[in-house]
């Protein structure tokens, strides 16, 4: 098992990607321990005093004006967690829960939460030994923190709730016991530190970001194949065009596609005397569209990287100033905006892909390819309904791409009167990227079949490898057959990243 040492405030996206893709375990850099313990000491002193400090010796939310006796502080924190375990719906995927736990550790490591170091050690051990809380995915409005899902995560820390351990769903206490771990009773403010934060929303948004970036990389590869399938021009990929505009994503997309298409016999065959003056936008404007989407993803990545390294609970312990201050870092508005940006970029990558599919199956537009990419149209329908499926998925993603962050509603007796809706704004990305990967998978099937119809002319060496890899899992469509397995296999090649392994061209980097 890979164990990463993360430095709070300095952790990068490559490390977070390892947590997500490889389910790497994490440990905080030991240098942050002193700051964590200083903040915990400050909370301990406040709990023993008479001055009301929110979340330490008071109630929560609308009940913040109620003073709690020092003897009841442990009960207060336990009750907080149990009462807030109100999540519903399907359980979060394991890898996103682990990413959420890692983000919570990074937040604690900033030394402003007031938790004891032994809670950090328990969370690290849970990751290392594979104790994964079962967390219902619905119930957060993205302020004041992702309360319900983070409570389900924290419930296992105190021996409650449920956890996945070695494939078995167990009571939290039993899962810890089997892993050789023990629950910890929460002290003053510690329950609040666990659940007042944006780690649920941020984990889902990061997962969406990583998945969509992989999809965007696949889109560059597959769209290059589509360009050859319809005998499109590579003139719009000329580097000077994109340098004159200056957008990084557009420049990167054109460079990558130009490299992938190098040495294509198909391209050379129609470089001169082509009766067509220009290709449709879905071919000609690929760098401008996919490249713009990549730039939007990069902007979202910057926001999410800051948030991943942030202290987002409330109140925060300002040890240098000797203060415990209530603020609003739990409000997930930045994450909500980032999730909406990712959704928009994702939707557009799928929209232009779907138009390329429609182009290839239409004999009026595909430059002499057979109707629906079947050798015997009429008797066979070929990829006719595969295209229809992508139209349905594209439309669904357009609907899902509508902003979530604008849909605030008051909660908690109007104490929390503006919320971010970042939770489901980020969570919907998982459904959207599944749709996108299906769309790209169908484009892959169409483009590969289109290129095969251009024989004896050959596509580029790199794209020949791509087709060869596809044909390991999906044979060339000669006559109608049960199509669902073909679509599933093509989608898996896209989603897994396997298809990208056929490339020698350098792919654009996220940051």
């Amino acid at each position: 098992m890979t164990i990463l040492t993360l430095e709070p405030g300095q952790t990068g996206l490559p490390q977070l990607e390892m947590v997500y893709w490889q389910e790497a375990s994490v440990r905080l850099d030991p240098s942050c321990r002193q700051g964590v313990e200083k903040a915990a000491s400050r909370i301990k002193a406040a709990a023993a005093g008479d001055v009301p400090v929110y979340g330490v010796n008071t109630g929560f939310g609308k009940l913040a004006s109620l003073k709690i006796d020092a003897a009841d502080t442990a009960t207060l924190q336990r009750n907080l967690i149990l009462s807030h375990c109100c999540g519903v719906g399907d359980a979060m995927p394991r890898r996103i829960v682990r990413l959420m736990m890692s983000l919570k550790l990074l937040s604690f490591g900033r030394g402003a939460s007031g938790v004891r170091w032994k809670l950090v050690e328990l969370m690290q051990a849970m990751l290392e030994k594979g104790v994964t809380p079962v967390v219902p995915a619905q119930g957060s409005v993205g302020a004041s923190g992702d309360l319900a899902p983070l409570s389900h995560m924290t419930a296992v820390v105190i021996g409650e709730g449920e956890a996945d351990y070695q494939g078995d769903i167990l009571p939290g206490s039993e899962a810890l016991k089997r892993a050789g771990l023990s629950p910890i009773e929460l002290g003053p403010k510690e329950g609040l530190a666990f659940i007042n934060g944006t780690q649920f929303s941020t984990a889902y948004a990061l997962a969406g970001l990583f998945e969509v970036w992989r999809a965007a990389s696949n889109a560059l590869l597959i769209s290059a194949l589509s360009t050859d399938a319809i005998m499109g021009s590579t003139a719009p990929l000329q580097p000077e065009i994109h340098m004159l505009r200056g957008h990084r994503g557009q420049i990167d997309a054109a460079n990558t596609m130009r490299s992938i298409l190098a040495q294509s016999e198909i391209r050379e065959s129609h470089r001169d005397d082509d009766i067509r003056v220009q290709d449709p936008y879905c071919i000609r404007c690929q760098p401008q569209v996919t490249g713009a989407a990549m730039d939007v993803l990069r902007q979202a990545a910057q926001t999410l990287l800051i948030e991943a390294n942030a202290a987002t609970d409330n109140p925060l312990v300002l040890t240098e100033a000797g203060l415990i201050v209530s603020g609003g870092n739990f409000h997930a508005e930045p994450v909500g905006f980032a999730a909406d940006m990712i959704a928009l970029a994702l939707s557009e990558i799928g929209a232009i892909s779907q138009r390329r599919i429609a182009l290839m199956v239409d004999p009026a537009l595909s430059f002499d390819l057979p109707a629906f990419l079947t050798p015997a149209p009429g008797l066979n329908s070929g990829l006719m309904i595969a295209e229809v499926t992508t139209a349905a998925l594209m439309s669904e993603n357009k609907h899902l791409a509508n902003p979530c962050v604008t849909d605030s509603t008051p909660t908690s007796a109007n104490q929390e009167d503006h919320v971010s809706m970042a939770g489901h704004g980020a969570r919907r990305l998982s459904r959207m990227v599944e749709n996108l990967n299906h769309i790209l998978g169908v484009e892959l099937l169409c483009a590969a079949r289109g290129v095969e119809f251009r024989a004896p002319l050959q596509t580029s060496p790199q794209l020949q490898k791509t087709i060869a890899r596809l044909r390991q899992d999906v044979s060339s469509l000669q006559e109608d057959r049960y199509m669902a397995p073909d679509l599933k296999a093509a989608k898996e090649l896209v989603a897994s990243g396997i298809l990208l392994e056929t490339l020698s061209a350098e792919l654009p980097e996220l940051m």
Side-chain angles (χ1 to χ4, degrees):
M1 174 184 289
T2 302
I3 301 177
L4 303 175
T5 298
L6 304 184
E7 184 177 352
Q10 301 295 324
T11 295
L13 280 181
Q15 294 165 297
L16 297 175
E17 285 196 78
M18 288 183 68
V19 175
Y20 180 67
W21 292 119
Q22 302 176 27
E23 295 193 15
S25 295
V26 305
R27 289 186 168 274
L28 296 184
D29 190 293
S31 63
C32 71
R33 179 170 182 168
Q34 183 178 5
V36 171
E37 291 182 332
K38 277 186 178 180
S41 297
R42 185 80 183 91
I43 290 293
K44 183 179 179 180
D50 295 326
V51 178
V53 179
Y54 175 69
V56 177
N57 52 16
T58 72
F60 307 105
K62 196 72 171 180
L63 305 177
S65 60
L66 300 178
K67 183 77 164 54
I68 306 298
D69 291 339
D72 293 328
T73 53
T75 302
L76 174 70
Q77 299 299 314
R78 178 180 176 82
N79 287 349
L80 173 70
I81 300 305
L82 297 180
S83 67
H84 284 50
C85 284
C86 292
V88 298
D90 294 337
M92 293 174 63
R94 171 189 165 94
R95 67 174 60 189
I96 301 181
V97 176
R98 290 178 60 85
L99 180 55
M100 177 173 71
M101 295 169 69
S102 302
L103 295 175
K104 179 53 72 176
L105 282 170
L106 282 174
S107 183
F108 286 165
R110 295 299 301 270
S113 297
V115 301
R116 292 165 293 169
W117 185 255
K118 68 178 183 178
L119 283 165
V120 170
E121 291 177 323
L122 177 56
M123 288 275 283
Q124 291 175 160
M126 288 169 64
L127 285 168
E128 187 172 340
K129 298 192 176 187
V131 178
T132 307
V134 175
V135 180
Q138 292 173 271
S140 174
V141 294
S144 114
D146 294 313
L147 297 172
L150 290 174
S151 293
H152 283 277
M153 180 193 77
T154 311
V156 178
V157 172
I158 64 174
E160 298 289 346
E162 291 184 323
D164 179 341
Y165 180 67
Q166 297 183 345
D168 294 328
I169 304 301
L170 304 167
S173 58
E174 179 62 21
L176 291 174
K177 181 180 179 181
R178 291 193 189 184
L181 304 173
S182 300
I184 295 177
E185 182 179 72
L186 298 176
K189 204 264 181 184
E190 288 177 333
L192 201 59
F194 267 99
I195 70 173
N196 247 182
T198 67
Q199 287 75 34
F200 168 85
S201 300
T202 306
Y204 260 109
L206 282 169
L209 174 71
F210 299 149
E211 295 277 3
V212 178
W213 190 260
R214 175 178 284 182
S217 300
N218 273 290
L220 295 178
L221 167 59
I222 296 167
S223 63
L225 191 61
S226 298
T227 300
D228 246 8
I230 64 102
M231 301 186 83
S233 175
T234 55
L237 302 177
Q238 194 73 15
E240 291 85 354
I241 294 174
H242 308 287
M243 293 299 295
L244 281 168
R245 198 173 198 187
H247 292 296
R248 178 187 171 192
Q250 180 178 327
I251 294 167
D252 288 348
N255 287 343
T256 298
M257 291 184 66
R258 193 170 59 251
S259 176
I260 293 171
L261 283 160
Q263 302 177 51
S264 166
E265 291 180 6
I266 295 174
R267 173 60 185 122
E268 294 305 318
S269 72
H270 64 96
R271 190 176 290 276
D272 299 319
D273 302 320
D274 194 325
I275 61 172
R276 299 165 299 172
V277 177
Q278 293 180 329
D279 293 317
Y281 289 177
C282 67
I283 297 296
R284 192 178 0 140
C285 299
Q286 292 173 85
Q288 287 82 357
V289 176
T290 305
M294 290 164 57
D295 278 342
V296 169
L297 294 174
R298 284 166 167 157
Q299 292 171 40
Q302 291 177 339
T303 296
L304 294 176
L305 182 58
I306 292 170
E307 192 73 8
N309 283 281
T312 58
D313 58 283
N314 179 61
L316 290 171
V317 183
L318 311 180
T319 52
E320 294 301 317
L323 299 172
I324 302 172
V325 182
S326 288
N329 281 5
F330 53 71
H331 201 296
E333 195 83 357
V335 183
F337 276 120
D340 283 347
M341 292 166 66
I342 294 168
L344 289 170
L346 186 166
S347 181
E348 280 297 274
I349 294 169
I352 196 169
S353 172
Q354 203 283 326
R355 297 320 303 155
R356 291 191 294 266
I357 295 167
L359 182 71
M360 287 184 282
V361 300
D362 186 345
L365 300 173
S366 63
F367 200 56
D368 297 330
L369 291 176
F372 303 108
L373 299 167
T374 177
L379 177 62
N380 294 287
S381 296
L383 289 157
M384 177 191 294
I385 303 305
E387 185 269 332
V388 174
T389 295
T390 64
L393 297 175
M394 174 188 68
S395 183
E396 184 176 311
N397 272 0
K398 286 180 179 179
H399 172 74
L400 291 169
N402 281 289
C404 293
V405 78
T406 55
D407 186 26
S408 178
T409 189
T411 63
S412 193
N414 279 298
Q415 176 75 4
E416 297 152 11
D417 58 354
H418 182 280
V419 297
S420 72
M421 296 300 179
H424 71 264
R427 185 168 51 83
R428 92 331 193 141
L429 298 175
S430 299
R431 176 178 167 188
M432 292 182 71
V433 79
E434 186 84 358
N435 291 344
L436 174 58
N437 286 334
H438 276 297
I439 294 170
L440 291 171
V442 172
E443 185 185 356
L444 172 63
L445 294 174
C446 292
R449 196 69 190 101
V451 164
E452 289 168 343
F453 279 120
R454 302 299 183 187
L457 296 174
Q458 294 288 317
T459 187
S460 72
Q462 290 193 66
L463 291 174
Q464 289 178 48
K465 292 179 183 178
T466 300
I467 295 173
R469 180 61 189 86
L470 170 66
R471 293 295 172 237
Q472 291 180 29
D473 295 349
V474 183
S475 62
S476 183
L477 185 64
Q478 302 298 330
E479 59 185 18
D480 284 353
R481 63 186 183 225
Y482 184 58
M483 289 296 295
D486 291 12
L487 271 61
K488 181 179 180 181
K491 176 259 180 183
E492 288 302 322
L493 284 173
V494 173
S496 66
I498 290 174
L499 205 65
L500 298 174
E501 296 173 5
T502 65
L503 283 180
S504 56
E506 185 174 337
L507 290 166
E509 295 183 356
L510 178 55
M511 291 290 280

